[in-house]
Amino acid sequence: MTTEAITTTWPALLPARARLGVWAPSCPGPVLFPRRFERGLAALRTQGYTVRVGRSCKAAEGAGTLRPEAAAEELHTMLEEVDGVIAAVGGWTLTPVLPHLDFEHIGRAAKPLVGYSDLTSVVNLIPQRSGLVAFHGPMVISEWGEADGPWELTAMEFDQVLGREHDWTERTVGVAAKWSDENLFWDREDTRRRQGNSGEQRTRTLRPGEAAGPLWGGSLLVLGLLLGTSLWPEPEQGSLIFLEIDGMSPDELWARLEQFSLSGVFRRASGVLVSRVSGPGKTPSGFGGYDEVLRECLPQSLPVAAGFDLGHADPMCTLPVGGRAHVTCPVDGTPRLRLLRDPAAV
C-alpha cells in the first residue's frame, strides 16, 4: 500500500491559562491511583492551566474506563469546550476506541492532543486522517504526577512546543543530563522522585548523516498492534521515524524491528531516532546490546541517532507528530534534533 504526501497543519496552540481537558481512554489509572492523579492535576494548575476532568477519569469498567464509543464521544465533546486535551495515562485498551473516533471532527476542532504509550496510535492517526499535528508528550499521572512535580525538562519542553507565546520557526529539542527509569509503584512507593541512570545511555550517533521529514513514531509495542489492520497509520514517504524502546530485551527489539522492516516502514524513512532504553532486559541471543541490534536491523542508508528523552523514562520531551523536524548525526559529537514550524500554519 502506498501513502500520498500528507499536508498537516498545527492546531491552535495553548494560550496563557489554557483550559486542558483530561481524557482517560485506556487504563483506569485515575481511579486506581488517585493520589498520583491529583498530584498531576495540581502540577498542571501550578503551571497556570485550568483542568477539566472528563467522565472517563472517574470510570473503571472491566479492563478500561468508559465503553469505547463513549470514550470517543467524550473526546469529541471535550475538544469543543477546551483549548487542548491531555491523556491521563496510557495502558492497553485504547485500540477498541479508535474505530469510533471521528477524525474529521478532530480536524475541524483543531486543538492539540497530547499523550504517548497507548496513545501512540491516536497521535499518529490524527495527522494522517485529520491533517492535524498531534503531540507525543507527557501525561497527567505518569509525568505531571511525579512526587515533587514534573522534571524540569519535561515541563519546559511541553511549554515551549505547545505554548502560544513562543513564536519560533526552529528550535532544538532539549537533552537531559540526568534521567531515570526507576520503577516506583504508584500510590505506594512514589513518595520521592525517581532516581538512577545519570550519565548512562548518552545521546549518540549510531550511523552518521542528516535527515529531515515529518515526525512519525512512538511506542514500538503499540504501533505493532495496528500493523495489518485498517487502522495502521502508514508513515509518509520521507518520514523522520522516532521509536521508543520500553521494557524489552535486545532480542525482542530485533524481532520488532524486523517486523517493521518486513512491513516496509523503514523504506519510507529518511532517518531514525531512538529513545533511551527504559526497563532494559537481558537476552540469551547472539546480540550483546541494543546498539548492535539497531545497527544490524536498520537500513545502512539511514542516519540513526539514539538516547533521546522519549517515553517511559523521565524526563521526556514533547514531539509534534506530523510536524517537520531535522536531525544531524555527526561522526564525532552529539546528535541534534530540531523542530521546524511555519508560523503561518499555526
Side-chain angles (χ1 to χ4, degrees), residues 94-225:
L94 179 60
T95 303
V97 178
L98 299 177
H100 300 282
L101 292 175
D102 183 340
F103 288 98
E104 290 186 2
H105 182 118
I106 293 170
R108 288 194 303 272
K111 307 286 180 62
L113 185 145
V114 187
Y116 73 102
S117 192
D118 205 18
L119 278 290
T120 295
S121 54
V122 76
V123 300
N124 281 276
L125 280 164
I126 286 174
Q128 185 184 83
R129 301 197 177 188
S130 299
L132 193 70
V133 169
F135 299 89
H136 185 274
M139 299 184 290
V140 177
I141 293 178
S142 43
E143 282 72 42
W144 293 97
E146 277 286 274
D148 53 355
W151 288 50
E152 183 179 358
L153 184 69
T154 300
M156 182 187 73
E157 290 289 311
F158 183 90
D159 175 65
Q160 290 286 321
V161 173
L162 284 164
R164 185 179 298 175
E165 69 273 20
H166 302 296
D167 184 16
W168 54 266
T169 57
E170 177 183 314
R171 69 175 304 274
T172 299
V173 174
V175 175
K178 297 181 179 180
W179 71 286
S180 178
D181 64 347
E182 183 183 18
N183 187 18
L184 297 174
F185 195 91
W186 291 343
D187 276 16
R188 184 187 300 172
E189 300 172 335
D190 63 335
T191 56
R192 59 168 175 80
R193 173 169 290 193
R194 296 201 285 177
Q195 299 174 356
N197 298 322
S198 299
E200 300 176 12
Q201 294 192 43
R202 61 183 177 82
T203 309
R204 60 203 180 277
T205 293
L206 298 184
R207 191 170 297 125
E210 293 188 35
L215 286 163
W216 180 97
S219 169
L220 265 170
L221 297 174
V222 174
L223 288 168
L225 296 176

Side-chain angles (χ1 to χ4, degrees), residues 27-107:
C27 169
V31 174
L32 297 174
F33 310 107
R35 183 186 69 190
R36 189 168 177 113
F37 181 59
E38 289 300 324
R39 274 204 319 240
L41 297 178
L44 286 166
R45 294 186 183 108
T46 298
Q47 294 291 116
Y49 299 112
T50 300
V51 293
R52 175 189 162 185
V53 175
R55 189 164 62 92
S56 59
C57 296
K58 304 171 186 177
E61 299 182 14
T65 57
L66 302 176
R67 294 292 302 165
E69 59 275 17
E73 187 54 38
E74 180 178 65
L75 176 63
H76 301 153
T77 302
M78 193 175 279
L79 286 169
E80 299 297 329
E81 299 173 349
V82 297
D83 298 307
V85 173
I86 183 170
V89 70
W92 284 106
T93 56
L94 179 60
T95 303
V97 178
L98 299 177
H100 300 282
L101 292 175
D102 183 340
F103 288 98
E104 290 186 2
H105 182 118
I106 293 170

